[in-house]
Amino acid sequence: MKSITISGSKRESVGKVATKALRNAGKVPCVIYGGDKPLHFSADEVSFKNLVYTANVYTAMIELDGTSYHAILQDIQFHPVTDKILHVDFYQLFDDKMVTMNIPVRLVGTSPGVISGGSLRFAMRKLSVRALPANLPDFINADISKLKIGQKLIVSELANDQFSILHPENTVVVQVRTARSAVMPEDDEEDEDGEGEDGATEEAAEE
């Protein structure tokens, strides 16, 4: 998984007065959990732009006074009116320790069912994944190139040996629903009706 570097400074004081002063200076108070003890620091608000305001998911390499900490974003608080970032929590990553993270799903291919007029329902745009940090994917591919009207992809079809998807195996990720304008392909129509040219011949023979 790609990583974004955030440079900051350790905080000596974590009281309300110090926190307010940091925010007034355009900095964001932060904490890294997961290590021996919580690590308090601050960083410029602009440093979080590519980490927070994106549909993609990244890990963070936090550089504090010459020491680097590999982490993931755990929680973020915004101002209810201005949407300014008020506080950020990170969780430290270790090479041999499993971690859980929400990973975006990326649709691959073109559904023949959609081409026929079906409606694509993208139910799960992110999936909760558990893996070692080195095995965290940037995204999970969902191949829809074979989905006809009425068909779907479920979690079990997206399984991978390098990570575990923490949803029931029958959870629907994406499906193609029937729309009023949908036109069923000829071979599907014959399968659905149970009749093709052979069916018509049999009826004529019976008469």
Side-chain angles (χ1 to χ4, degrees), residues 100-167:
T100 299
M101 195 171 185
N102 290 328
I103 304 297
V105 177
R106 184 176 69 174
L107 300 184
V108 177
T110 302
S111 162
V114 173
I115 294 176
S116 298
S119 174
L120 186 71
R121 180 174 179 267
F122 196 178
M124 300 290 289
R125 295 178 181 270
K126 286 188 176 182
L127 293 174
S128 183
V129 166
R130 185 169 180 79
L132 291 173
N135 293 334
L136 286 171
D138 292 310
F139 43 77
I140 298 173
N141 284 330
D143 187 356
I144 63 172
S145 61
K146 295 182 180 180
L147 290 187
K148 298 179 180 180
I149 292 175
Q151 295 183 326
K152 58 191 175 184
L153 276 181
I154 58 177
V155 161
S156 62
E157 296 175 86
L158 305 181
N160 188 291
D161 293 338
Q162 293 191 326
F163 55 80
S164 300
I165 302 178
L166 305 180
H167 298 271

